[in-house]
Amino acid sequence: MTAPNELRLLPWSGPEGKPCYLSTDGPDGYMSRLADNIEAIQLGTAAELLEEVSGTLDDQDTDLNDLRRLVHDLTGALRDVLRVAASRGHLLAVSEPHRI
């Protein structure tokens, strides 16, 4: 949930790769739920790719083109995961009091 006047970093980019933000007072709106669902998909995709890369690296006969495709997919997944982490980290910093 975003605090009043706080913007939520969305899990997709706008034109030219620029970040998209959502202004909302609650997590129950359509766009908030859509963003939550897309974040869950992105994190699941990253987990699946991590499993795939583990098996691929163990296979000495893996084709170079397969490795390039996998690295390309992993790069996109890492970009998505970092955006989710940045968004959630910001939400945590805004919503949780600092403890000393």
Side-chain angles (χ1 to χ4, degrees):
M1 178 160 112
T2 56
N5 299 322
E6 290 292 329
L7 298 176
R8 175 184 178 170
L9 176 63
L10 293 172
W12 56 81
S13 298
E16 300 175 11
K18 294 183 179 181
C20 292
Y21 295 92
L22 174 64
S23 176
T24 183
D25 289 334
D28 296 324
Y30 174 78
M31 290 301 293
S32 291
R33 291 190 324 269
L34 177 63
D36 290 342
N37 289 335
I38 289 175
E39 286 179 350
I41 291 167
Q42 290 171 330
L43 294 174
T45 299
E48 290 171 7
L49 283 169
L50 185 58
E51 286 183 30
E52 183 179 342
V53 76
S54 296
T56 302
L57 290 176
D58 290 341
D59 183 359
Q60 297 295 322
D61 297 324
T62 300
D63 182 64
L64 184 58
N65 288 327
D66 290 339
L67 283 175
R68 285 187 177 129
R69 179 201 53 82
L70 188 55
V71 168
H72 179 268
D73 293 346
L74 282 169
T75 302
L78 180 57
R79 186 178 298 111
D80 291 341
V81 167
L82 288 174
R83 184 185 317 266
V84 170
S87 176
R88 291 185 181 185
H90 175 73
L91 293 176
L92 289 173
V94 169
S95 63
E96 291 183 3
H98 295 287
R99 295 187 182 142
I100 298 176

